[in-house]
Amino acid sequence: MTGTQMLNYNTDSAFRAPATMPPMPPLSRGVADPLQPHALWLPLDFFLGAMACCGACVFTNPLEVVKTRLQLQGELRARGSYQRHYRGVLQALWVVGRTDGIRGLQKGLSVGLLYQGLMNGVRLGFYSYVQGVGLTATPGGSLIAGATAGALGAFIASPAYLVKTHLQAQTVEAIAVGHQHKHQGVSNAFVSIYRREGVIGLWRGVNGAVPRVMVGSAAQLATFSSAKEWVSRYEWFSPNSWLVALTAAMISGVAVTITMTPFDVISTRLYNQPVDEFRRGRLYNGFMDCLVKVCQTEGLFGLYKGIGPVFVRLAPHTVLSMLLWDLMRQKALRYCSSQG
């Protein structure tokens, strides 16, 4: 769905806008305003989605660092058999800040911005285009389009996520968790991975990233509009209040966190694992092998490590990115309308 539709969506039957305002068309028709263009130029929509999510990433990257550490802590070890350096979101932020400094809380930011720009630019731009041409009008079309858009974005941006994970896991030995790749920086990480494993090595872990983003994207895009409709129907806030979108984003954030966290843990493990001389992972053979090993050694709750920072990160990231995207799209749509 487009950002404009998310903030202005009203149902055609159960809820209508006040009499002074013309009713909005159904969400599946993909029209935000009859006076505005049906859809933005695809490259422009890609750019706006990328910029919005990059803006959100600057504020939420410290939580991404903490989430990565928590998910790697105690890897393939039974609970209680390892030292816990990180015990929660606030404590982990304090430990990282005290040990690595303020810059440590923003580890991997530059490549994180690259990942957000590529992944969410493709994801939101593709979904906006599909929704604009009416392909989401069919039953289940929104879920399928959201999952497809997420898979496409995850595949294209996978090398950036790989490097981001490596850099965010790196720290001093006293608080290190998971394998330490010891890259000297973003460019050094890309070069060293390429020299060691070739082009295919840059997409190591993509088999965990694609289902992760597919599930998260489908859950987010499918639940946000439903949550917004529900909040609007009960008239907790005025129809055009930003609090409607904020509440819907928080509800959507819960759904995304619960459904995506296990996939996020597996994705982080697959990306960060060391490789042998044959370019094979030393810990996991793939998605299912990682899933089984985590459940066997760490229990079912091992799949929910880092759920705290995942939620704390996703909620503001969803709100910031979608609101920024909507504001920029509205301006672009008005400009296009004024140009005829």
Side-chain angles (χ1 to χ4, degrees):
M1 77 192 68
T2 63
T4 303
Q5 293 161 336
M6 286 181 176
L7 294 182
N8 295 286
Y9 172 63
N10 292 295
T11 59
D12 196 40
S13 56
F15 180 81
R16 290 181 181 275
T20 57
M21 297 174 60
M24 293 294 295
L27 176 67
S28 59
R29 294 178 189 173
V31 182
D33 189 326
L35 298 178
Q36 293 178 337
H38 188 71
L40 282 176
W41 182 44
L42 186 59
L44 178 58
D45 226 346
F46 171 94
F47 175 76
L48 295 180
M51 290 298 294
C53 293
C54 284
C57 177
V58 173
F59 297 98
T60 60
N61 190 66
L63 293 168
E64 187 74 10
V65 173
V66 168
K67 181 213 73 171
T68 299
R69 304 280 180 86
L70 284 169
Q71 290 177 341
L72 292 173
Q73 183 171 246
E75 186 171 14
L76 297 183
R77 298 181 65 179
R79 186 177 180 85
S81 65
Y82 57 89
Q83 182 179 2
R84 294 180 61 193
H85 300 297
Y86 311 101
R87 299 179 179 274
V89 179
L90 295 179
Q91 186 266 356
L93 287 170
W94 181 78
V95 169
V96 173
R98 182 194 63 180
T99 308
D100 293 337
I102 299 299
R103 292 183 63 182
L105 291 171
Q106 288 289 12
K107 279 191 174 181
L109 176 60
S110 60
V111 73
L113 292 172
L114 175 61
Y115 169 74
Q116 290 292 335
L118 287 174
M119 193 276 285
N120 282 304
V122 171
R123 184 176 73 94
L124 296 177
F126 177 82
Y127 186 87
S128 178
Y129 173 78
V130 171
Q131 201 274 340
V133 297
L135 296 181
T136 58
T138 59
S142 181
L143 276 173
I144 295 173
T148 303
L152 183 61
F155 180 83
I156 292 174
S158 184
Y161 197 93
L162 172 69
V163 172
K164 180 184 74 70
T165 302
H166 287 188
L167 294 177
Q168 290 179 339
Q170 286 184 187
T171 185
V172 297
E173 185 177 354
I175 59 171
V177 292
H179 183 72
Q180 300 291 292
H181 293 270
K182 300 180 180 179
H183 299 304
Q184 300 303 310
V186 175
S187 58
N188 173 260
F190 278 112
V191 171
S192 61
I193 293 172
Y194 173 76
R195 287 177 176 174
R196 185 178 65 248
E197 305 176 55
V199 174
I200 295 178
L202 292 171
W203 268 266
R204 176 173 298 281
V206 71
N207 55 335
V210 169
R212 168 188 175 271
V213 181
M214 284 181 68
V215 170
S217 181
Q220 181 191 60
L221 295 173
T223 60
F224 188 95
S225 59
S226 298
K228 188 171 186 292
E229 175 189 350
W230 181 74
V231 172
S232 298
R233 182 177 299 164
Y234 284 92
E235 300 182 350
W236 291 356
F237 313 105
S238 60
N240 295 321
S241 173
W242 64 273
L243 291 173
V244 175
L246 175 65
T247 305
M250 294 297 292
I251 295 173
S252 178
V254 173
V256 173
T257 302
I258 293 174
T259 56
M260 196 174 76
T261 296
F263 296 89
D264 200 50
V265 171
I266 293 173
S267 180
T268 298
R269 300 283 181 87
L270 291 175
Y271 273 126
N272 195 65
Q273 71 170 330
V275 296
D276 59 22
E277 61 274 16
F278 301 106
R279 302 178 182 176
R280 296 178 302 194
R282 292 183 180 272
L283 301 179
Y284 314 104
N285 294 324
F287 182 90
M288 289 305 300
D289 183 56
C290 182
L291 174 65
V292 172
K293 285 182 176 178
V294 171
C295 290
Q296 287 178 341
T297 57
E298 303 172 54
L300 184 62
F301 288 105
L303 293 172
Y304 281 90
K305 283 185 175 180
I307 189 172
V310 168
F311 174 71
V312 175
R313 172 195 169 276
L314 279 176
H317 190 277
T318 298
V319 174
L320 285 171
S321 59
M322 299 314 296
L323 288 180
L324 287 172
W325 189 39
D326 179 75
L327 290 174
M328 291 189 293
R329 291 192 83 257
Q330 284 190 26
K331 290 184 178 180
L333 287 168
R334 291 194 191 100
Y335 175 79
C336 291
S337 295
S338 67
Q339 299 299 309

